[in-house]
Amino acid sequence: MISWNRRRWAAAAAVAAGGAAAVYYVYDRWGKLQEARASLQELEARDNKAPASIEPATVAPASPLISETEPTSAATIQQDADRHLVTHFESVQAISTTTTTPSLLPMLLQSLTRNTDHKPLLELLRQGGMAADEKYAAWEEIKVLTFTRAVAASWMVSLLDLMNRVQLNILGRHLYLQSNILDARHPQHSGLGSREQPLQMTHRAQELFLAYAHYCGERGVEPLIPIVKQAVTDAVSNIELTTKLGADQVLQMFSDAHKGVAPELSRLGFEVFLLPSPEHRQVWHSAARFPDNGALQPGALGGLDDDAIDGLLTEVRQIIGSAKFGVALKAAVQESARVAADELHNEMKGGEKPLAKLCPRVAELANKLLQRDDNECVSRFANLPEIQRLSATVYSCGPVL
């Protein structure tokens, strides 16, 4: 079970995050940049200098754009803003990579094990007394289950990581907007149109939003398994258990199964694996392991928080339905497959084994892909350009992808 202290830490750290577009929007809207321009133009006129232009700045959330006590140059403003923005953005990505995603992996592994457990079949085979056709059927099922487990792990670690990154970047942007636009120092916010208003939310609402990351690990596996199992069956059914295979041949079976999974997931949409449907949202709240569940029922938080959570979830749905999310997911799945390939090559060292003996080893690949500590997949994901672009876009621009 994920530590709520860590979730609160993640939410608190995300407060510092604000996107480039969001930061510029805040300060431009409330006159900060206009104040900066006026101050700089006054100084420049005094010094008989040509007017300096200020680019749409990415301003540090923690400090005002212009000092109230002494003038600041345009270059200094831009440098400070850029430095703060990079620091904030990188902190959110680091929290996702090192804390929140790893903390959810044990839950995901448990769910995957429940849905692809081949050990009861192995125990039946060890006990003996089975007819020849029953033994054959049991081994065929073991073959399918072990490959299903590994292929599903590749997809699920990718989906979970991306979902977590999307949530943290969305929340960070909105909390920055909330703390700046709705601050008492900016009474002008009352003149904004409803579509321009930032979301307002309590800490409890933030926790509930972040808790939706649990859904992928607890429930997202269930609709994925039949899809993966069918693709695996198509990929491995013609390969006999006595066939000796090397690592490259096993990995080709993986690749064939992945090719069968991808079109079906694209057809269904990724939301089914990441979020409860709107009609099942209240059931999810009731069943989820949140502190004080009753207070987290839809409507119980009050209209403001309910509206905020609905707004955040709407953003999530728009983003995970976007082409950019699909590109990032494809890159993540390919990278997780490379992690599995590296592990299998190291294990087999160029040798060959009968498929029946390889099946337990294939099942163990899921443990590698979903291990909590020093997870190679999650570490590599952070460096993928496709995921970096997705994170930066969500952080700065929201669902307009």
Side-chain angles (χ1 to χ4, degrees):
M1 180 175 176
I2 187 170
S3 164
W4 279 95
N5 287 332
R6 290 192 174 187
R7 299 304 301 198
R8 293 190 181 100
W9 178 34
V15 173
V23 174
Y24 175 66
Y25 168 81
V26 171
Y27 279 91
D28 189 63
R29 187 73 191 186
W30 304 123
K32 287 291 187 181
L33 284 179
Q34 288 88 336
E35 292 172 14
R37 291 189 183 100
S39 298
L40 290 170
Q41 288 170 358
E42 183 178 336
L43 288 170
E44 289 158 354
R46 188 187 311 161
D47 295 334
N48 295 318
K49 293 179 180 178
S53 63
I54 298 181
E55 299 297 326
T58 54
V59 184
S63 58
L65 182 62
I66 285 292
S67 169
E68 297 179 359
T69 58
E70 60 182 59
T72 307
S73 70
T76 300
I77 293 170
Q78 186 66 54
Q79 289 169 3
D80 288 348
D82 289 346
R83 183 170 58 252
H84 288 148
L85 178 63
V86 169
T87 299
H88 293 145
F89 176 72
E90 289 179 347
S91 71
V92 173
Q93 313 322 307
I95 288 165
S96 176
T97 300
T98 63
T99 302
T100 52
T101 298
S103 69
L104 292 165
L105 290 173
M107 179 192 308
L108 177 56
L109 182 57
Q110 290 173 9
S111 181
L112 181 62
T113 298
R114 284 195 305 270
N115 285 274
T116 60
D117 192 3
H118 67 284
K119 291 181 180 178
L121 289 172
L122 284 176
E123 185 59 31
L124 285 175
L125 288 167
R126 291 191 188 103
Q127 291 175 2
M130 299 177 70
D133 59 337
E134 292 175 330
K135 288 182 180 179
Y136 180 80
W139 273 111
E140 285 295 307
E141 182 66 7
I142 289 170
K143 178 176 69 175
V144 170
L145 285 174
T146 53
F147 276 83
T148 297
R149 175 182 168 87
V151 173
S154 178
W155 282 94
M156 291 307 297
V157 70
S158 304
L159 284 165
L160 179 67
D161 181 86
L162 289 184
M163 176 65 172
N164 190 51
R165 291 180 190 277
V166 166
Q167 284 186 279
L168 287 179
N169 282 295
I170 287 175
L171 185 61
R173 171 167 39 82
H174 278 292
L175 290 176
Y176 179 80
L177 289 170
Q178 174 180 304
S179 65
N180 285 273
I181 289 186
L182 297 181
D183 192 286
R185 292 171 296 177
H186 302 297
Q188 306 97 307
H189 81 268
S190 59
L192 281 178
S194 60
R195 290 179 61 85
E196 297 171 299
Q197 290 282 3
L199 296 174
Q200 304 175 61
M201 68 197 86
T202 65
H203 289 299
R204 178 163 288 184
Q206 296 163 32
E207 288 182 11
L208 179 56
F209 173 65
L210 288 175
Y212 277 91
H214 289 223
Y215 187 85
C216 180
E218 290 188 357
R219 307 288 179 85
V221 171
E222 294 173 8
L224 180 69
I225 293 303
I227 298 169
V228 176
K229 193 172 183 179
Q230 183 58 57
V232 165
T233 300
D234 294 341
V236 306
S237 60
N238 293 328
I239 302 175
E240 294 296 329
L241 289 158
T242 55
T243 304
K244 288 188 174 182
L245 302 173
D248 288 338
Q249 292 166 299
V250 174
L251 293 171
Q252 183 60 52
M253 295 162 68
F254 265 77
S255 178
D256 293 343
H258 276 296
K259 290 175 183 176
V261 173
E264 187 64 14
L265 264 62
S266 297
R267 184 186 69 80
L268 288 174
F270 306 123
E271 183 179 330
V272 68
F273 311 105
L274 298 173
L275 288 172
S277 61
E279 59 269 24
H280 292 128
R281 180 177 160 189
Q282 186 165 352
V283 175
W284 160 243
H285 289 176
S286 300
R289 294 168 295 182
F290 302 135
D292 190 13
N293 285 353
L296 295 178
Q297 297 299 320
L301 290 173
L304 193 63
D305 273 338
D306 269 340
D307 289 345
I309 293 168
D310 286 342
L312 293 171
L313 292 176
T314 296
E315 279 201 53
V316 172
R317 289 188 171 96
Q318 291 174 328
I319 291 164
I320 64 180
S322 69
K324 189 163 288 188
F325 185 90
V327 169
L329 179 61
K330 179 180 179 180
V333 171
Q334 289 174 340
E335 194 63 35
S336 66
R338 281 191 279 272
V339 172
D342 292 345
E343 183 74 5
L344 197 59
H345 277 294
N346 290 336
E347 173 77 16
M348 298 188 67
K349 302 184 186 304
E352 293 184 343
K353 292 182 180 180
L355 179 55
K357 291 188 176 181
L358 285 171
C359 285
R361 184 66 195 96
V362 168
E364 287 297 312
L365 290 175
N367 295 347
K368 172 68 176 180
L369 299 181
L370 301 180
Q371 69 183 34
R372 174 172 182 157
D373 297 329
D374 301 321
N375 187 285
E376 185 70 19
C377 291
V378 176
S379 296
R380 292 193 191 185
F381 291 165
N383 296 317
L384 291 177
E386 296 86 351
I387 291 180
Q388 292 174 341
R389 284 194 289 270
L390 175 69
S391 298
T393 302
V394 175
Y395 181 89
S396 61
C397 304
V400 184
L401 302 179

